Amino acid sequence: MSTTIYYILMIAILLFVLTTIAAWLIWLERRVLALWQDRYGPNRAGPFGLFIVVADTIKLFFKEDWIPPFADKFIFVIAPAIVAAAVLMSFVVVPFAPGIVVADLNIGLLFFLAMSSLGVYSIVLGGWASNNKYSLLGALRGASQMISYEVFMGLSLMGVVMLSGSFRLTDIVLAQQDYWFIVTQPVGFVIFLIAGVAETHRLPFDIPEAESELVAGFHSEYSGMKFGMFFIGEYLGVILISSMVVTLFFGGWLGPSFLPGVVWFFLKTFVFILFFILLRASLPRPRYDQLMEYGWKVLLPLALLNLLITGAVVLVMKE
Amino acid sequence: MQPHKLQSLSTALMSISLFYLVAFLSIFFSLLVIFSKNPIHSVLYLIITFFTFTVHYILLNAQFLAIVNFIVYMGAIMVLFLFVLMLLNLDEDSEPMKSNILKMAGLVAGLCLLITLVGSMKSLHMSDPVILKNPDLGLVKNLGKVLFSEFLLPFEISSILLLTAMVGAVLLAKREPKTA
């Protein structure tokens, strides 16, 4: 019985921590962007404007929750839930520290890929159910972008799997005790990071919502907390991709022993979250066809080549 | 009865009831696929049906097959279905009336399939849905070993088949060079 209570407690703590971090990331992003763009950013509510998140949440809850009369109601309501649920499900397999993991599945990495492939449904269904041409255009772009980048995302991780010999994330972290996989898999790391940005459709790859041409893309018709779900789903996605990068390429919880493993994990993850925000501040959005061409003509061959060379080296080293 | 025997009996009972529940759900949702009027809703029900298949695989301890079914069918193929459906014009008014010959052909084909299925059911013997002969076969490691030793030739042939399909698709999509 105690294991059941342990799991329930673990899931509750994880949900609480993740949603809180995701909410404060909104504040962090606005402050840091302001810093890089030489502005003040939100600084009125509370110390350093910290309470803007509370104010924003209250505002979202009190806004009129409008469902367009021309929309497909059921699908319109269910779409924003899918993205948040799929991303939160992925955190089930992330090992934060030895023993601190909800379920240490022996197909953990595949589970992560499976869940991240579900996220595309929320964009496609949300855009279609809105019954609006801009939403539909955004949905179509989102679908093709995410399906394409999923391919390289999976392929770029297979090098790590070959080196560690397991799909279990704990084993992958433990296999990095001598050196982090960034040393041997730099190409895989870069491809995974680019594919991760595209999967979370963050700038510069936020083409499904491209506000300068598509109003707000797939969530044009959404208001109130349904829009809030898309919003929080995006930030959860940023945390997920950052923590997966840390787990797979930067040794997860491993680090000098003067700090506990969880702290190392969160510190490393935080660096990548800041990197995601820096990307938004510094890079322009590519054109849609450039994005697809870049994916299929550059990243796919590179990922395959990386896989081939890694396989050959692993074979030679074994003999 | 010994307590451990009782316990194993209760777990067996639980997995049997779980199997029947999931089996019921898969049949239920596949019926909804056929009967729902809106094609997008049909696709959504089909996605749920595939998800119940994934649960079946997990019940059979075939983890790799379960997750690959999830990634490939739910995560990729059904998204493409949705993609194509969105590009189609789904106005009911502009839908051309299907001719009676087409309907008859569909009926005959469906009945033929039914007869074949019933016929093949007779030659099958029911297997126990719960107790597995080789429960660890579905794990990634064991499946990989079997695929790359015993079934290497069929495995490679099927991958060449997929490659051929891909090359064919690229060739079809390629723009013809302008003949000057």
Side-chain angles (χ1 to χ4, degrees):
Chain A
M1 216 53 212
S2 65
T3 51
T4 321
I5 295 169
Y6 169 79
Y7 279 127
I8 292 172
L9 209 68
M10 190 78 199
I11 291 167
I13 291 173
L14 199 64
L15 273 178
F16 176 75
V17 170
L18 286 175
T19 43
T20 315
I21 294 179
W24 293 112
L25 269 188
I26 298 169
W27 170 81
L28 182 80
E29 171 153 40
R30 293 180 63 177
R31 282 296 287 202
V32 176
L33 273 182
L35 183 76
W36 283 323
Q37 295 168 348
D38 205 14
R39 301 184 278 116
Y40 283 120
N43 61 355
R44 293 299 147 129
F48 306 108
L50 260 172
F51 295 146
I52 191 158
V53 178
V54 183
D56 262 351
T57 318
I58 293 172
K59 183 192 78 176
L60 277 179
F61 269 110
F62 280 95
K63 273 200 170 175
E64 185 187 1
D65 195 13
W66 189 61
I67 298 178
F70 44 81
D72 188 319
K73 277 206 185 67
F74 179 67
I75 298 180
F76 188 82
V77 173
I78 211 174
I82 295 174
V83 65
V87 176
L88 283 173
M89 281 293 278
S90 303
F91 279 104
V92 162
V93 292
V94 175
F96 296 96
I100 307 186
V101 52
V102 176
D104 200 13
L105 303 179
N106 57 5
I107 45 166
L109 195 60
L110 292 173
F111 185 84
F112 157 73
L113 289 174
M115 286 302 144
S116 70
S117 69
L118 271 193
V120 61
Y121 281 117
S122 79
I123 290 185
V124 174
L125 294 177
W128 179 79
S130 302
N131 215 347
N132 167 324
K133 59 184 168 196
Y134 296 115
S135 303
L136 189 64
L137 276 174
L140 288 178
R141 288 177 176 193
S144 43
Q145 172 183 333
M146 287 175 81
I147 287 193
S148 315
Y149 277 76
E150 244 168 55
V151 177
F152 331 127
M153 192 181 219
L155 278 177
S156 65
L157 296 182
M158 288 312 127
V160 171
V161 174
M162 276 182 196
L163 288 175
S164 62
S166 174
F167 281 115
R168 189 195 298 268
L169 290 178
T170 319
D171 292 348
I172 291 177
V173 173
L174 289 175
Q176 301 178 59
Q177 260 161 349
D178 298 332
Y179 56 89
W180 293 349
F181 282 153
I182 176 72
V183 181
T184 42
Q185 286 290 314
V187 181
F189 162 69
V190 172
I191 294 172
F192 179 72
L193 199 66
I194 294 172
V197 179
E199 276 286 300
T200 49
H201 44 91
R202 288 272 309 175
L203 268 153
F205 294 156
D206 68 335
I207 285 164
E209 43 181 296
E211 75 276 356
S212 46
E213 34 179 329
L214 290 183
V215 190
F218 64 97
H219 58 57
S220 297
E221 299 288 348
Y222 281 88
S223 64
M225 209 47 214
K226 289 201 204 66
F227 167 73
M229 286 287 258
F230 277 125
F231 207 51
I232 213 81
E234 184 185 318
Y235 284 95
L236 283 172
V238 170
I239 304 176
L240 176 69
I241 298 296
S242 307
S243 53
M244 284 311 283
V245 167
V246 168
T247 310
L248 296 169
F249 296 102
F250 285 86
W253 68 77
L254 299 173
S257 61
F258 60 87
L259 282 175
V262 188
V263 178
W264 277 119
F265 186 86
F266 275 104
L267 275 179
K268 290 180 198 169
T269 309
F270 190 71
V271 171
F272 280 98
I273 290 173
L274 278 182
F275 178 72
F276 265 81
I277 299 174
L278 180 63
L279 274 185
R280 174 174 178 169
S282 47
L283 288 180
R285 189 182 293 137
R287 220 170 55 211
Y288 177 67
D289 58 317
Q290 288 172 335
L291 176 78
M292 298 302 276
E293 210 173 278
Y294 179 64
W296 286 106
K297 291 188 179 166
V298 179
L299 290 183
L300 179 70
L302 259 183
L304 285 174
L305 201 66
N306 181 42
L307 199 64
L308 198 70
I309 293 173
T310 312
V313 171
V314 167
L315 263 185
V316 169
M317 296 283 269
K318 248 185 189 170
E319 278 163 18
Chain B
M1 210 180 277
Q2 271 95 25
H4 69 270
K5 220 171 185 179
L6 202 71
Q7 203 182 5
S8 71
L9 198 73
S10 79
T11 43
L13 202 69
M14 216 174 82
S15 43
I16 285 180
S17 44
L18 203 61
F19 168 76
Y20 280 115
L21 175 73
V22 179
F24 167 75
L25 283 179
S26 9
I27 294 170
F28 178 73
F29 282 114
S30 44
L31 284 179
L32 280 180
V33 174
I34 310 171
F35 290 121
S36 73
K37 285 261 161 64
N38 187 331
I40 296 271
H41 290 180
S42 279
V43 169
L44 291 185
Y45 289 129
L46 194 55
I47 293 167
I48 303 176
T49 314
F50 280 133
F51 179 70
T52 57
F53 291 169
T54 300
V55 179
H56 277 302
Y57 285 132
I58 291 173
L59 284 178
L60 290 170
N61 211 14
Q63 297 169 351
F64 186 71
L65 214 52
I67 210 81
V68 165
N69 183 55
F70 196 109
I71 293 175
V72 173
Y73 281 89
M74 283 180 72
I77 291 182
M78 294 320 289
V79 178
L80 288 179
F81 263 64
L82 270 181
F83 198 86
V84 171
L85 273 182
M86 280 175 179
L87 294 176
L88 293 178
N89 190 8
L90 293 176
D91 267 347
E92 276 170 37
D93 309 328
S94 62
E95 183 84 352
M97 283 294 289
K98 291 190 180 71
S99 65
N100 278 333
I101 301 172
L102 260 177
K103 281 182 188 166
M104 282 301 287
L107 189 70
V108 170
L111 280 176
C112 285
L113 184 66
L114 185 71
I115 293 168
T116 321
L117 279 177
V118 171
S120 62
M121 278 281 273
K122 272 182 111 177
S123 62
L124 277 176
H125 54 92
M126 281 280 281
S127 68
D128 195 318
V130 180
I131 296 153
L132 302 168
K133 264 186 222 157
N134 191 356
D136 287 340
L137 187 66
L139 303 185
V140 182
K141 206 168 239 170
N142 304 333
L143 195 68
K145 273 188 183 136
V146 173
L147 270 185
F148 282 98
S149 57
E150 202 174 330
F151 298 104
L152 184 62
L153 188 65
F155 182 71
E156 293 297 334
I157 288 175
S158 57
S159 61
I160 288 173
L161 195 68
L162 286 175
L163 185 71
T164 320
M166 200 169 80
V167 171
V170 171
L171 206 67
L172 280 179
K174 214 172 171 186
R175 214 170 287 155
E176 300 241 336
K178 280 206 180 106
T179 44

